[in-house]
């Protein structure tokens, strides 16, 4: 490369850098960047609070469990130092009365009851007596058996005949 080409490249590069340095940021960009930084700080603070809170809760739980399940030493019994007076004789031992045997009632042995009672009927569905309405329906159906079949054979044009 000769000097002319090198100078041309250097001038082009210098002009590009001047143009880049003089460019203004888009409106609101600074505010958005600062708001993003602020939001990240807030999120970091919240995470830190949650971590500390969970840690404190875990420590409190462990302390409570230790206090509940830690073996407690039994208090030592106090030594008895009382002495009997010298003028007291040995205690008189009473004779034991004969033991009385409690009366045993003679109940019949208890019969074993089945553990499961089968409550289901033998026949399903279970027949039940007819209600009053069902009895009336049966009586009506039986009374129709004796009727002549003329009612069933009426022509379809009776309605037209009645209208005339």
């Amino acid at each position: 490369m000769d000097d002319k080409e090198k100078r041309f490249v250097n001038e082009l590069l210098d002009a590009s850098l001047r143009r880049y340095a003089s460019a203004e940021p888009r409106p609101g960009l600074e505010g958005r960047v600062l708001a993003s930084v602020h939001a990240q700080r807030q999120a970091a603070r919240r995470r830190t609070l949650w971590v500390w809170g969970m840690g404190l809760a875990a420590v409190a739980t462990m302390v409570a469990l230790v206090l509940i399940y830690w073996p407690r030493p039994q208090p030592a019994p106090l030594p008895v130092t009382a002495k009997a007076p010298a003028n007291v004789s040995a205690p008189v031992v009473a004779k034991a009365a004969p033991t009385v045997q409690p009366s045993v009632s003679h109940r019949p042995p208890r019969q074993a009851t089945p553990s499961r009672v089968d409550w289901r009927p033998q026949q399903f569905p279970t027949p039940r007596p007819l209600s009053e309405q069902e009895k009336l329906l049966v009586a009506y159906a039986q009374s129709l058996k004796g009727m002549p079949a003329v009612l069933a054979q009426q022509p379809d044009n009776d309605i037209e005949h009645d209208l005339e």
Side-chain angles (χ1 to χ4, degrees), residues 90-136:
V92 178
V93 177
K95 292 184 180 180
T99 58
V100 178
Q101 296 291 333
S103 62
V104 178
S105 62
H106 297 286
R107 292 184 190 169
R110 199 171 190 190
Q111 294 180 359
T113 56
S115 62
R116 181 174 176 237
V117 178
D118 192 14
W119 55 268
R120 294 178 294 181
Q122 295 293 330
Q123 178 185 355
F124 185 81
T126 307
R128 58 179 175 79
L130 295 177
S131 67
E132 288 297 316
Q133 291 177 346
E134 292 168 335
K135 288 177 185 177
L136 289 172

Side-chain angles (χ1 to χ4, degrees), residues 140-154:
Y140 178 71
Q142 288 175 348
S143 70
L144 288 179
K145 284 184 181 176
M147 296 288 290
V150 174
L151 294 176
Q153 295 176 357
Q154 289 182 351

Side-chain angles (χ1 to χ4, degrees), residues 69-104:
Y69 291 111
W70 191 266
R72 293 184 183 96
Q74 298 296 328
L78 297 175
V80 178
T81 58
K83 294 183 179 179
N87 61 358
V88 175
S89 62
V92 178
V93 177
K95 292 184 180 180
T99 58
V100 178
Q101 296 291 333
S103 62
V104 178

Side-chain angles (χ1 to χ4, degrees), residues 29-41:
L29 178 65
E30 182 181 356
R32 287 185 295 209
V33 170
L34 290 176
S36 174
V37 169
H38 181 68
Q40 288 175 355
R41 283 184 186 164

